[in-house]
Each structure stands twice: as C-alpha cells, then as structure tokens.
Amino acid sequence: MNATMSTKWDVRVLAVAGAGMMGLAGVFLWRDLQVAHELLLAVAAVLAASLALAEVPRHRPLAGPIALLLTGLCGGLWYAATKSGLLLAGLGLTVLASAVTVARTWRRTEAREDKVQACLLWYGLTAAVIAASWAFYFHFFTLGFAADDLARRLVLTLGWLAAGVGLVVYGRLRGESVIRDAGFAFIAVALGKALAYDTTHLSGTLRVACFAGAGALMLGGAWLSSPRTARSA
C-alpha cells in the first residue's frame, strides 16, 4: 500500500471515528443531561458544517452540502410543526454554516464547475434562509411586537421577492445559472405566499401595496436583466 493510499485510509478512519464519537456525545447529551431535544437541530447544524468545511470526501465533497440542505429543510418543517423558539438557534446556525460554505467553496474554479455540488450548496443556502427567515418572522413579528399590525405580512413576501430578484439579476450578469435558479426559488415561494395567503389575509391599501410592490420589484428585475442593461453594465 503506497503512502497516498495509506493517508486516505487514515483520514477516513479518523473522520468516521470522530463522527461516531460526536454522535454518541449528542445521544448522551440528550439522554443523560436532559437537554431539550430541539437543541439537537443546533448540534446537527454544527455537524453538517463540520462535514462541509472538512470537505468530505475529498475527491467530491458532497456530504456536507447534502447535510446542510437536509438540516435546513428538516429544521423548517420541525419549526412549522412545533413553533418552538429553541429551534431558532439551530436554524440560525444552519444559515451561517451554509453561507460560510458557499463563500469558501465558490472561490475555487473546480467547485464552481461541479454542477451537482454547486446546486446543493446554493439550494441548501436558499432552503436555510427561507426556513429561518419565516421562523424568525413568526416568532418575533407574529407572536411578538407586531402581532396586531397587519402590515407585518408584507415583510416576508417583499423580502423574499427582493432577495430572489437580486439573485436572478446577479446570477444572470455573472453567468451563474445556479445562482439565478436559487433566485427563482425565492421568487416562487414569495409569489406562492402572495397568491395563496396575502390575497385572503390582506385587504384594502395593504393588499394593493403588496401586489404593487411585488410587481415593481419584478419589473425592475426584468429591466436589470435585459440584454441592453446587462451590456451597459
């Protein structure tokens, strides 16, 4: 067995053993110390971030991006089912870990050329941001200081739409289709909320403002994405 092969096996053994010990620590943390099980989402976010930053496996590091994507999706569904404020820490860590992973990986040409890895990275970040922003909005706005203010319902719709339009424009100008697709995911979620929820839960001036603002953002995005505007930029 040559030195390179021996090094690969050493890394795999240490990585598997370390992950196993971390998993056991999480199990005993929950069982013996009676820590709230919602905090397991934060543990999962840390483990997923560790996998992503360690780039496991080395030849095509997909384990971390997959783990971050699943953590964001499961965390969002968990919060939707329980509305537990303890899950906000895990969701926030997932967003931070996803953003750091994207920023670190996106600088390397070979990572950007791996379409599967690029999709997982950006879709993981998108899922984490959508889930976390909705959870934080619901906890601090709907249940918090803006509970009686109907205008708060515009925050998510227009915020998601602005983020989506920005990503679509940026992705098109940079020629990065995966960033553009992530932007369209934000737009799809925002329009779905506007059509399925805002039309029935808003009325009068607020409903007009919601759809006028959404229309203005999308028209602005269309203008910025037009070939003539892109060439002048």
Side-chain angles (χ1 to χ4, degrees):
M1 182 180 295
N2 58 38
T4 302
M5 184 63 69
S6 176
T7 301
K8 288 182 178 179
W9 275 107
D10 291 346
V11 171
R12 290 175 183 175
V13 169
L14 290 173
V16 171
M21 292 299 101
M22 290 294 290
L24 284 174
V27 170
F28 290 125
L29 178 68
W30 181 20
R31 193 185 71 177
D32 295 351
L33 301 183
Q34 297 182 349
V35 175
H37 60 274
E38 287 89 351
L39 295 179
L40 288 177
L41 181 63
V43 175
V46 171
L47 292 176
S50 301
L51 283 175
L53 295 176
E55 297 186 328
V56 179
R58 286 288 179 182
H59 65 281
R60 197 180 189 191
L62 299 181
I66 292 173
L68 286 171
L69 174 60
L70 292 176
T71 302
L73 291 173
C74 293
L77 293 173
W78 194 352
Y79 184 84
T82 64
K83 306 298 190 301
S84 172
L86 292 176
L87 293 171
L88 298 180
L91 288 169
L93 283 174
T94 305
V95 172
L96 178 62
S98 299
V100 170
T101 303
V102 168
R104 183 186 178 208
T105 306
W106 207 246
R107 290 193 294 264
R108 299 198 302 272
T109 304
E110 65 275 11
R112 296 170 68 175
E113 291 177 349
D114 188 336
K115 300 301 183 184
V116 175
Q117 184 185 16
C119 287
L120 289 171
L121 285 170
W122 279 97
Y123 292 164
L125 178 59
T126 300
V129 171
I130 289 174
S133 60
W134 177 77
F136 276 84
Y137 160 83
F138 188 86
H139 186 80
F140 291 106
F141 283 72
T142 303
L143 301 180
F145 65 90
D148 298 325
D149 188 356
L150 293 180
R152 62 177 165 76
R153 292 172 177 164
L154 300 178
V155 172
L156 277 184
T157 303
L158 298 182
W160 284 341
L161 197 56
V165 170
L167 287 173
V168 169
V169 173
Y170 178 75
R172 191 181 187 286
L173 293 177
R174 294 294 299 271
E176 302 286 359
S177 60
V178 67
I179 300 178
R180 181 199 63 202
D181 293 343
F184 276 119
F186 273 102
I187 291 174
V189 173
L191 292 181
K193 178 182 179 296
L195 295 174
Y197 183 86
D198 294 339
T199 53
T200 58
H201 289 75
L202 293 175
S203 61
T205 303
L206 288 178
R207 183 155 54 187
V208 173
C210 176
F211 287 97
L217 282 170
M218 297 190 70
L219 288 173
W223 179 75
L224 291 173
S225 298
S226 65
R228 181 178 302 174
T229 306
R231 284 195 298 269
S232 64

Coordinates of all heavy atoms in Angstrom, one line a residue, residues 44-128:
A44 N -27.0 19.2 15.0 CA -27.0 18.8 13.6 C -26.4 19.8 12.7 O -25.6 19.5 11.7 CB -28.4 18.4 13.1
A45 N -26.7 21.1 12.9 CA -26.1 22.2 12.1 C -24.6 22.2 12.2 O -23.9 22.4 11.3 CB -26.7 23.5 12.5
V46 N -24.1 22.1 13.5 CA -22.6 22.1 13.7 C -22.0 20.9 13.0 O -20.9 21.0 12.4 CB -22.3 22.1 15.2 CG1 -20.9 21.9 15.5 CG2 -22.8 23.4 15.9
L47 N -22.6 19.7 13.1 CA -22.0 18.5 12.5 C -22.0 18.7 10.9 O -21.0 18.3 10.3 CB -22.8 17.3 12.9 CG -22.7 16.8 14.3 CD1 -23.6 15.6 14.6 CD2 -21.2 16.5 14.6
A48 N -23.1 19.2 10.4 CA -23.2 19.4 9.0 C -22.2 20.4 8.5 O -21.5 20.3 7.5 CB -24.6 19.9 8.6
A49 N -22.0 21.5 9.3 CA -21.0 22.5 8.9 C -19.6 21.9 9.0 O -18.7 22.2 8.1 CB -21.1 23.7 9.9
S50 N -19.3 21.0 10.0 CA -18.0 20.4 10.1 C -17.7 19.5 8.9 O -16.6 19.5 8.3 CB -18.0 19.5 11.4 OG -18.2 20.3 12.5
L51 N -18.7 18.8 8.4 CA -18.6 18.0 7.2 C -18.3 18.8 6.0 O -17.5 18.5 5.2 CB -19.8 17.1 7.0 CG -20.0 15.9 7.8 CD1 -21.4 15.3 7.5 CD2 -18.9 14.9 7.6
A52 N -19.0 19.9 5.9 CA -18.9 20.8 4.7 C -17.5 21.5 4.7 O -16.8 21.5 3.7 CB -20.0 21.9 4.7
L53 N -17.1 22.0 5.9 CA -15.8 22.7 5.9 C -14.6 21.7 5.8 O -13.5 22.1 5.3 CB -15.7 23.5 7.2 CG -16.7 24.6 7.3 CD1 -16.6 25.3 8.7 CD2 -16.5 25.6 6.2
A54 N -14.8 20.5 6.3 CA -13.8 19.4 6.1 C -13.7 18.9 4.7 O -12.7 18.2 4.4 CB -14.0 18.3 7.1
E55 N -14.7 19.1 3.9 CA -14.8 18.7 2.5 C -14.7 17.2 2.4 O -13.7 16.7 1.8 CB -13.8 19.4 1.6 CG -14.0 20.9 1.6 CD -13.1 21.6 0.6 OE1 -12.0 21.1 0.4 OE2 -13.5 22.6 0.0
V56 N -15.7 16.5 3.0 CA -15.7 15.0 3.0 C -16.7 14.5 1.9 O -17.8 15.0 2.0 CB -16.0 14.5 4.4 CG1 -16.1 13.0 4.4 CG2 -15.0 15.0 5.4
P57 N -16.3 13.6 1.1 CA -15.0 13.1 0.8 C -14.2 14.1 -0.1 O -14.8 14.9 -0.7 CB -15.2 11.8 0.0 CG -16.5 12.0 -0.7 CD -17.4 12.9 0.3
R58 N -12.9 13.9 -0.1 CA -12.0 14.9 -0.7 C -12.2 15.0 -2.2 O -12.2 16.1 -2.8 CB -10.6 14.6 -0.4 CG -10.1 14.9 1.0 CD -10.0 16.4 1.2 NE -9.7 16.7 2.6 CZ -9.5 17.9 3.1 NH1 -9.8 19.0 2.3 NH2 -9.2 18.2 4.3
H59 N -12.4 13.9 -2.9 CA -12.5 13.9 -4.3 C -13.7 14.6 -4.9 O -13.8 15.1 -5.9 CB -12.4 12.5 -4.9 CG -13.5 11.6 -4.6 ND1 -13.6 11.0 -3.3 CD2 -14.6 11.2 -5.3 CE1 -14.7 10.2 -3.3 NE2 -15.3 10.4 -4.5
R60 N -14.8 14.5 -4.1 CA -16.1 15.2 -4.5 C -16.9 15.5 -3.2 O -17.8 14.7 -2.8 CB -16.9 14.4 -5.5 CG -17.9 15.3 -6.2 CD -18.7 14.5 -7.2 NE -19.6 15.3 -8.0 CZ -20.5 14.9 -8.8 NH1 -20.8 13.6 -8.9 NH2 -21.3 15.7 -9.5
P61 N -16.6 16.6 -2.5 CA -17.2 16.8 -1.2 C -18.7 17.2 -1.3 O -19.1 18.3 -1.3 CB -16.4 17.9 -0.6 CG -15.9 18.7 -1.8 CD -15.7 17.6 -2.9
L62 N -19.5 16.1 -1.2 CA -21.0 16.4 -1.3 C -21.7 16.1 0.0 O -22.8 16.5 0.2 CB -21.6 15.5 -2.4 CG -21.2 15.7 -3.8 CD1 -21.9 14.7 -4.7 CD2 -21.4 17.1 -4.3
A63 N -21.0 15.4 1.0 CA -21.6 15.1 2.2 C -22.1 16.3 3.0 O -23.2 16.3 3.5 CB -20.7 14.2 3.1
G64 N -21.2 17.3 3.1 CA -21.5 18.5 3.8 C -22.7 19.3 3.2 O -23.7 19.6 4.0
P65 N -22.7 19.6 1.9 CA -23.8 20.3 1.3 C -25.1 19.5 1.5 O -26.2 20.2 1.7 CB -23.4 20.4 -0.2 CG -21.9 20.5 -0.1 CD -21.5 19.5 1.0
I66 N -25.1 18.2 1.3 CA -26.3 17.4 1.5 C -26.8 17.5 2.9 O -28.0 17.7 3.2 CB -26.1 15.9 1.1 CG1 -25.9 15.8 -0.4 CG2 -27.3 15.1 1.5 CD1 -25.4 14.4 -0.8
A67 N -25.9 17.4 3.9 CA -26.3 17.5 5.3 C -26.9 18.9 5.6 O -27.8 19.0 6.4 CB -25.1 17.2 6.2
L68 N -26.3 19.9 5.1 CA -26.8 21.3 5.3 C -28.2 21.5 4.7 O -29.1 22.1 5.3 CB -25.8 22.3 4.8 CG -24.5 22.5 5.6 CD1 -23.6 23.4 4.8 CD2 -24.8 23.1 7.0
L69 N -28.4 21.0 3.5 CA -29.7 21.1 2.8 C -30.7 20.3 3.7 O -31.8 20.9 3.9 CB -29.6 20.5 1.4 CG -30.9 20.4 0.7 CD1 -31.5 21.7 0.5 CD2 -30.7 19.7 -0.7
L70 N -30.4 19.1 4.1 CA -31.4 18.4 4.9 C -31.7 19.0 6.3 O -32.8 19.0 6.7 CB -30.9 16.9 5.1 CG -30.9 16.1 3.9 CD1 -30.2 14.7 4.2 CD2 -32.2 15.9 3.3
T71 N -30.6 19.6 6.9 CA -30.8 20.3 8.1 C -31.7 21.5 8.0 O -32.6 21.7 8.8 CB -29.4 20.7 8.7 OG1 -28.6 19.6 8.8 CG2 -29.6 21.4 10.1
G72 N -31.5 22.3 6.9 CA -32.4 23.4 6.7 C -33.9 23.0 6.5 O -34.8 23.6 7.0
L73 N -34.1 22.0 5.6 CA -35.4 21.5 5.3 C -36.1 21.0 6.6 O -37.2 21.3 6.9 CB -35.4 20.5 4.2 CG -35.0 21.0 2.8 CD1 -34.8 19.8 1.8 CD2 -36.0 22.0 2.3
C74 N -35.4 20.1 7.2 CA -36.0 19.4 8.4 C -36.2 20.4 9.6 O -37.2 20.4 10.3 CB -35.1 18.3 8.9 SG -34.9 16.9 7.8
G75 N -35.3 21.4 9.7 CA -35.4 22.4 10.7 C -36.7 23.3 10.5 O -37.4 23.6 11.4
G76 N -36.9 23.6 9.2 CA -38.0 24.4 8.9 C -39.3 23.7 9.1 O -40.3 24.2 9.7
L77 N -39.4 22.4 8.7 CA -40.6 21.6 9.0 C -40.8 21.4 10.5 O -42.0 21.4 10.9 CB -40.4 20.2 8.2 CG -40.4 20.3 6.7 CD1 -40.1 18.9 6.1 CD2 -41.8 20.8 6.2
W78 N -39.7 21.2 11.2 CA -39.8 21.0 12.7 C -40.4 22.2 13.3 O -41.3 22.1 14.2 CB -38.4 20.7 13.2 CG -38.4 20.1 14.6 CD1 -39.5 20.0 15.5 CD2 -37.3 19.6 15.3 NE1 -39.1 19.5 16.7 CE2 -37.7 19.2 16.6 CE3 -36.0 19.4 15.0 CZ2 -36.9 18.7 17.6 CZ3 -35.1 18.9 15.9 CH2 -35.6 18.5 17.2
Y79 N -39.9 23.4 12.9 CA -40.5 24.6 13.5 C -41.9 24.8 13.1 O -42.8 25.2 13.9 CB -39.7 25.8 13.1 CG -40.2 27.1 13.7 CD1 -39.7 27.4 15.0 CD2 -41.1 27.9 13.1 CE1 -40.2 28.6 15.6 CE2 -41.6 29.0 13.7 CZ -41.2 29.4 15.0 OH -41.7 30.5 15.6
A80 N -42.3 24.5 11.8 CA -43.7 24.6 11.4 C -44.6 23.8 12.2 O -45.7 24.1 12.5 CB -43.8 24.3 9.9
A81 N -44.1 22.6 12.6 CA -44.9 21.7 13.4 C -45.1 22.0 14.9 O -46.1 21.8 15.5 CB -44.4 20.2 13.3
T82 N -44.0 22.6 15.5 CA -44.0 22.8 16.9 C -44.0 24.3 17.3 O -44.4 24.6 18.4 CB -42.8 22.1 17.5 OG1 -41.6 22.8 17.0 CG2 -42.7 20.7 17.2
K83 N -43.5 25.2 16.5 CA -43.3 26.6 16.8 C -42.5 26.8 18.0 O -42.7 27.8 18.8 CB -44.7 27.3 17.0 CG -45.7 27.1 15.8 CD -45.2 27.7 14.6 CE -46.3 27.7 13.5 NZ -46.8 26.4 13.1
S84 N -41.5 26.0 18.3 CA -40.6 26.1 19.4 C -39.5 27.1 19.2 O -38.8 27.0 18.2 CB -40.0 24.7 19.8 OG -39.0 24.9 20.8
G85 N -39.4 28.1 20.1 CA -38.4 29.1 19.9 C -37.0 28.6 20.0 O -36.0 29.2 19.5
L86 N -36.8 27.4 20.7 CA -35.5 26.8 20.8 C -34.9 26.4 19.5 O -33.7 26.2 19.4 CB -35.5 25.6 21.8 CG -35.8 25.9 23.2 CD1 -36.0 24.6 24.0 CD2 -34.7 26.8 23.8
L87 N -35.7 26.2 18.5 CA -35.2 25.8 17.2 C -34.6 26.9 16.4 O -33.9 26.7 15.4 CB -36.4 25.2 16.3 CG -37.0 23.9 16.8 CD1 -38.2 23.6 16.0 CD2 -36.0 22.8 16.7
L88 N -34.8 28.2 16.9 CA -34.2 29.3 16.2 C -32.7 29.3 16.2 O -32.1 29.7 15.2 CB -34.7 30.6 16.8 CG -36.3 30.8 16.7 CD1 -36.6 32.2 17.4 CD2 -36.8 30.8 15.3
A89 N -32.1 28.8 17.2 CA -30.7 28.7 17.3 C -30.1 27.8 16.2 O -29.2 28.1 15.5 CB -30.2 28.2 18.7
G90 N -30.7 26.6 16.1 CA -30.3 25.7 15.1 C -30.5 26.2 13.7 O -29.6 26.0 12.8
L91 N -31.6 26.9 13.4 CA -31.9 27.5 12.1 C -30.9 28.6 11.8 O -30.4 28.7 10.7 CB -33.3 28.0 12.0 CG -34.4 26.9 12.0 CD1 -35.8 27.6 12.2 CD2 -34.4 26.2 10.7
G92 N -30.6 29.4 12.8 CA -29.6 30.5 12.6 C -28.2 29.9 12.3 O -27.5 30.4 11.4
L93 N -27.8 28.9 13.0 CA -26.5 28.2 12.7 C -26.5 27.6 11.4 O -25.4 27.6 10.7 CB -26.3 27.2 13.8 CG -25.8 27.7 15.2 CD1 -25.7 26.5 16.2 CD2 -24.4 28.3 15.1
T94 N -27.6 27.0 10.9 CA -27.7 26.4 9.6 C -27.5 27.5 8.5 O -26.7 27.2 7.5 CB -29.0 25.7 9.4 OG1 -29.2 24.8 10.4 CG2 -29.0 25.0 8.0
V95 N -28.1 28.6 8.6 CA -27.9 29.7 7.7 C -26.4 30.2 7.7 O -25.8 30.3 6.6 CB -28.8 30.9 8.0 CG1 -28.5 32.1 7.1 CG2 -30.3 30.5 7.8
L96 N -25.9 30.4 8.8 CA -24.5 30.8 8.9 C -23.5 29.8 8.3 O -22.6 30.1 7.5 CB -24.1 31.0 10.4 CG -22.7 31.5 10.7 CD1 -22.4 32.8 10.0 CD2 -22.4 31.6 12.2
A97 N -23.7 28.5 8.6 CA -22.9 27.5 8.1 C -23.0 27.4 6.6 O -22.0 27.2 5.8 CB -23.2 26.1 8.7
S98 N -24.2 27.5 6.1 CA -24.4 27.4 4.6 C -23.8 28.6 3.9 O -23.2 28.4 2.8 CB -26.0 27.4 4.3 OG -26.6 26.2 4.9
A99 N -23.9 29.8 4.5 CA -23.3 31.0 3.9 C -21.8 30.9 3.8 O -21.2 31.2 2.8 CB -23.8 32.2 4.6
V100 N -21.2 30.4 5.0 CA -19.8 30.3 5.0 C -19.3 29.3 4.0 O -18.3 29.4 3.3 CB -19.3 29.9 6.4 CG1 -17.9 29.5 6.5 CG2 -19.6 31.1 7.4
T101 N -20.0 28.1 3.9 CA -19.6 27.1 3.0 C -19.7 27.6 1.5 O -18.8 27.3 0.7 CB -20.5 25.9 3.2 OG1 -20.5 25.4 4.5 CG2 -20.1 24.7 2.2
V102 N -20.7 28.3 1.2 CA -20.9 28.8 -0.2 C -19.7 29.8 -0.5 O -19.1 29.8 -1.5 CB -22.2 29.5 -0.4 CG1 -22.3 30.3 -1.7 CG2 -23.3 28.5 -0.4
A103 N -19.5 30.7 0.5 CA -18.4 31.7 0.3 C -17.1 31.1 0.1 O -16.3 31.5 -0.7 CB -18.5 32.7 1.4
R104 N -16.8 30.1 0.9 CA -15.5 29.4 0.9 C -15.3 28.6 -0.4 O -14.2 28.6 -1.0 CB -15.3 28.6 2.1 CG -14.0 27.9 2.2 CD -13.9 26.9 3.4 NE -12.7 26.3 3.5 CZ -12.5 25.1 3.9 NH1 -13.5 24.4 4.4 NH2 -11.3 24.5 4.0
T105 N -16.3 27.9 -0.7 CA -16.2 27.0 -1.9 C -16.3 27.7 -3.2 O -15.6 27.3 -4.2 CB -17.3 25.9 -1.8 OG1 -17.3 25.3 -0.5 CG2 -17.2 24.8 -2.9
W106 N -17.1 28.8 -3.3 CA -17.4 29.4 -4.6 C -16.2 30.1 -5.2 O -16.1 30.4 -6.3 CB -18.5 30.4 -4.4 CG -19.3 30.6 -5.7 CD1 -19.4 31.7 -6.4 CD2 -20.1 29.6 -6.4 NE1 -20.2 31.5 -7.5 CE2 -20.6 30.2 -7.5 CE3 -20.4 28.3 -6.1 CZ2 -21.4 29.6 -8.4 CZ3 -21.2 27.6 -7.0 CH2 -21.7 28.2 -8.1
R107 N -15.1 30.3 -4.4 CA -13.9 31.0 -4.9 C -13.1 30.0 -5.7 O -12.3 30.5 -6.5 CB -13.1 31.5 -3.7 CG -13.7 32.7 -3.0 CD -12.7 33.3 -2.1 NE -12.3 32.5 -1.0 CZ -12.8 32.5 0.2 NH1 -13.8 33.4 0.5 NH2 -12.4 31.7 1.2
R108 N -13.3 28.8 -5.6 CA -12.5 27.8 -6.4 C -13.2 27.4 -7.7 O -14.3 27.0 -7.7 CB -12.2 26.6 -5.5 CG -11.5 26.9 -4.2 CD -10.8 25.6 -3.7 NE -11.9 24.6 -3.4 CZ -12.5 24.5 -2.3 NH1 -12.3 25.3 -1.3 NH2 -13.4 23.5 -2.1
T109 N -12.4 27.5 -8.7 CA -13.0 27.2 -10.1 C -13.5 25.8 -10.2 O -14.6 25.5 -10.7 CB -11.9 27.4 -11.2 OG1 -11.4 28.7 -11.0 CG2 -12.5 27.2 -12.5
E110 N -12.8 24.8 -9.6 CA -13.2 23.4 -9.8 C -14.5 23.2 -9.0 O -15.3 22.3 -9.5 CB -12.1 22.4 -9.3 CG -11.8 22.5 -7.8 CD -10.8 23.6 -7.4 OE1 -10.5 24.4 -8.3 OE2 -10.3 23.6 -6.3
A111 N -14.7 23.9 -7.9 CA -16.0 23.7 -7.2 C -17.2 24.3 -8.0 O -18.3 23.8 -8.0 CB -15.9 24.3 -5.8
R112 N -16.9 25.4 -8.6 CA -18.0 26.1 -9.4 C -18.3 25.3 -10.6 O -19.5 25.3 -11.1 CB -17.5 27.5 -9.8 CG -17.3 28.4 -8.6 CD -16.6 29.7 -8.9 NE -17.5 30.5 -9.7 CZ -17.2 31.8 -10.1 NH1 -16.0 32.3 -9.7 NH2 -18.0 32.5 -10.8
E113 N -17.4 24.5 -11.1 CA -17.7 23.7 -12.3 C -18.4 22.4 -12.0 O -18.9 21.7 -12.9 CB -16.3 23.4 -13.1 CG -15.7 24.6 -13.7 CD -14.4 24.4 -14.4 OE1 -13.9 23.3 -14.1 OE2 -13.9 25.2 -15.1
D114 N -18.4 22.0 -10.7 CA -19.1 20.8 -10.3 C -20.6 21.2 -10.1 O -20.9 21.8 -9.1 CB -18.5 20.2 -9.0 CG -19.1 18.9 -8.6 OD1 -20.3 18.6 -9.1 OD2 -18.5 18.1 -7.9
K115 N -21.4 20.9 -11.1 CA -22.8 21.4 -11.1 C -23.6 20.8 -9.9 O -24.4 21.5 -9.4 CB -23.5 21.0 -12.4 CG -22.8 21.6 -13.7 CD -22.8 23.1 -13.6 CE -22.2 23.8 -14.8 NZ -22.0 25.2 -14.7
V116 N -23.4 19.5 -9.6 CA -24.1 18.9 -8.5 C -23.8 19.6 -7.2 O -24.6 19.9 -6.4 CB -23.8 17.4 -8.4 CG1 -24.5 16.8 -7.2 CG2 -24.3 16.7 -9.7
Q117 N -22.5 19.8 -6.9 CA -22.1 20.4 -5.7 C -22.6 21.9 -5.6 O -23.1 22.3 -4.6 CB -20.5 20.4 -5.6 CG -20.1 21.0 -4.3 CD -18.5 21.1 -4.2 OE1 -17.9 21.0 -5.2 NE2 -18.0 21.3 -3.0
A118 N -22.5 22.6 -6.8 CA -23.0 24.0 -6.8 C -24.5 24.0 -6.5 O -24.9 24.9 -5.7 CB -22.7 24.6 -8.2
C119 N -25.3 23.1 -7.1 CA -26.7 23.1 -6.8 C -27.0 22.8 -5.4 O -27.8 23.5 -4.7 CB -27.4 22.1 -7.7 SG -27.5 22.6 -9.5
L120 N -26.3 21.9 -4.8 CA -26.5 21.5 -3.4 C -26.2 22.7 -2.5 O -26.9 23.0 -1.5 CB -25.7 20.3 -3.0 CG -26.2 18.9 -3.6 CD1 -25.2 17.8 -3.3 CD2 -27.6 18.6 -3.0
L121 N -25.1 23.4 -2.8 CA -24.6 24.5 -1.9 C -25.7 25.6 -2.0 O -26.1 26.1 -0.9 CB -23.3 25.0 -2.4 CG -22.0 24.2 -2.1 CD1 -20.8 24.7 -2.9 CD2 -21.8 24.2 -0.6
W122 N -26.1 26.0 -3.1 CA -27.0 27.2 -3.2 C -28.4 26.8 -2.8 O -29.1 27.6 -2.2 CB -27.0 27.7 -4.7 CG -25.8 28.6 -4.9 CD1 -24.6 28.3 -5.4 CD2 -25.7 30.0 -4.5 NE1 -23.7 29.4 -5.4 CE2 -24.4 30.4 -4.8 CE3 -26.6 30.9 -3.9 CZ2 -24.0 31.7 -4.6 CZ3 -26.1 32.2 -3.6 CH2 -24.9 32.6 -4.0
Y123 N -28.9 25.6 -3.2 CA -30.2 25.2 -2.7 C -30.2 25.0 -1.2 O -31.3 25.3 -0.6 CB -30.6 23.9 -3.4 CG -30.9 24.1 -4.9 CD1 -31.0 23.0 -5.8 CD2 -31.0 25.4 -5.5 CE1 -31.2 23.2 -7.1 CE2 -31.2 25.6 -6.8 CZ -31.3 24.5 -7.6 OH -31.5 24.7 -9.0
G124 N -29.1 24.5 -0.6 CA -29.1 24.4 0.8 C -29.1 25.8 1.5 O -29.9 26.0 2.5
L125 N -28.4 26.7 0.9 CA -28.5 28.1 1.5 C -29.8 28.7 1.3 O -30.4 29.4 2.2 CB -27.4 29.0 0.8 CG -27.4 30.5 1.2 CD1 -27.1 30.6 2.7 CD2 -26.3 31.2 0.4
T126 N -30.5 28.5 0.2 CA -31.8 29.0 -0.1 C -32.8 28.4 0.9 O -33.6 29.2 1.5 CB -32.2 28.7 -1.5 OG1 -31.3 29.3 -2.4 CG2 -33.6 29.2 -1.8
A127 N -32.8 27.1 1.1 CA -33.7 26.4 2.0 C -33.5 26.9 3.4 O -34.5 27.2 4.1 CB -33.5 24.9 1.9
A128 N -32.3 27.1 3.8 CA -32.0 27.5 5.2 C -32.5 29.0 5.4 O -33.1 29.3 6.4 CB -30.5 27.4 5.4

